[in-house]
Amino acid sequence: MSTTQKPEDRALHLEQFLPYRLNVVGFFASRALGRVYGTRFGIGIPEWRVIAQLGEFGQLTSRDIGELSQMHKTKVSRAVAELDKRGLVTRAENRADRREAFVALSAAGQRLYAQIVPLALAFEERWIEGISADELRVFERVLALLTERGRHLAGAYQTEEA
Amino acid sequence: MSTTQKPEDRALHLEQFLPYRLNVVGFFASRALGRVYGTRFGIGIPEWRVIAQLGEFGQLTSRDIGELSQMHKTKVSRAVAELDKRGLVTRAENRADRREAFVALSAAGQRLYAQIVPLALAFEERWIEGISADELRVFERVLALLTERGRHLAGAYQTEEA
DNA sequence: TGACATTAGTTGCACATGTAACTAATTGGA
DNA sequence: TCCAATTAGTTACATGTGCAACTAATGTCA
């Protein structure tokens, strides 16, 4: 017998297994942020993502929001409906294509956005504190690559690009 | 007015926002793996984590499994029950402490584990292919740091360490 | 023009999951 | 010894979410 091992014969250690590790850190991120938004503003992650995109881009259709923030269209639909119910967004039918509607932050929504953004940035700041710029650059580059490959390995949602 | 900006006055770009990015990549990881296990073996992520830990450590209580694999005790309970129903694990009461039970892979479970491990490792391999060892080292170190901080920022489950 | 395909968005349904409450067993003092 | 506190594990309940099916509007092509 050979002592050489095919990569596939290596042992598996879950705590070193990259997909597992990424899932865990993503879970922590989501949970920590959800705690910030939830306790102070009473909104969840999907609602936060909608607000963030509208705050950045001003006016979007639900379809756009879903594509930009990687959310299933039903999740977007429900988040927008919830924000509408709370008066944080407005919906205006596109008269050139009456299937879709332009969603935008209301005045109250803009005030909320202005409150959340500093908290979000401070949260991020505290999280990456002490990590060198060089290391962060490498980390973010690898992360972008893994995300792009992951998107394909995962197989897209119906609504995402084919 | 000063032109200097406090960090908190920076604009927010969701697609650059680290918690968001980590959550997205973690979602892709989970979904891609779930596809592999689900289509070929009919098991989900929680079941896979239980199997992985038992394959690695041989015999564990549900409590241990939850701690090692970062899962809520109810998720572990249900996953173990499901695997038990399929005959993939065995449960043996600990006679020294009859509250808990030792869970282990059955013969069928061990065969399944032996089948899954190469697939999981190949999946990981394909995912990180082409990334230099140096970059990966940096990436994993930063990832470990972010995970540890995220664990605290997220606040622990009831069952995790206080 | 008309028929079929496509798209934006919503909703019914089934399922997964966290919280809280629970049972049963054990531990730790007074 | 006895009672309160703790722990392992399960379950009822409410909620979140994806898929499939749906409606309404638009695009396409003959």
Side-chain angles (χ1 to χ4, degrees), chain A residues 34-100:
Chain A
R35 177 163 296 198
V36 173
Y37 307 152
T39 59
R40 306 191 206 194
F41 307 106
I43 61 169
I45 295 288
E47 289 77 21
W48 149 248
R49 287 194 185 174
V50 170
I51 290 175
Q53 297 293 4
L54 293 176
E56 189 173 343
F57 295 102
Q59 194 187 56
L60 295 166
T61 65
S62 288
R63 189 189 161 284
D64 295 332
I65 295 171
E67 203 167 302
L68 287 167
S69 60
Q70 300 291 335
M71 291 197 293
H72 193 269
K73 61 180 180 175
T74 60
K75 208 187 250 185
V76 175
S77 175
R78 284 156 181 152
V80 169
E82 173 69 21
L83 294 171
D84 191 14
K85 204 179 71 183
R86 299 204 195 174
L88 296 170
V89 301
T90 59
R91 286 197 262 201
E93 182 184 71
N94 177 7
R95 303 201 57 183
D97 183 345
R98 297 194 351 270
R99 287 171 303 185
E100 65 186 17

Side-chain angles (χ1 to χ4, degrees), chain A residues 132-144:
Chain A
S132 80
D134 277 351
E135 286 187 322
L136 260 186
R137 232 187 333 270
V138 173
F139 180 80
E140 294 197 355
R141 190 170 59 237
V142 174
L143 182 61

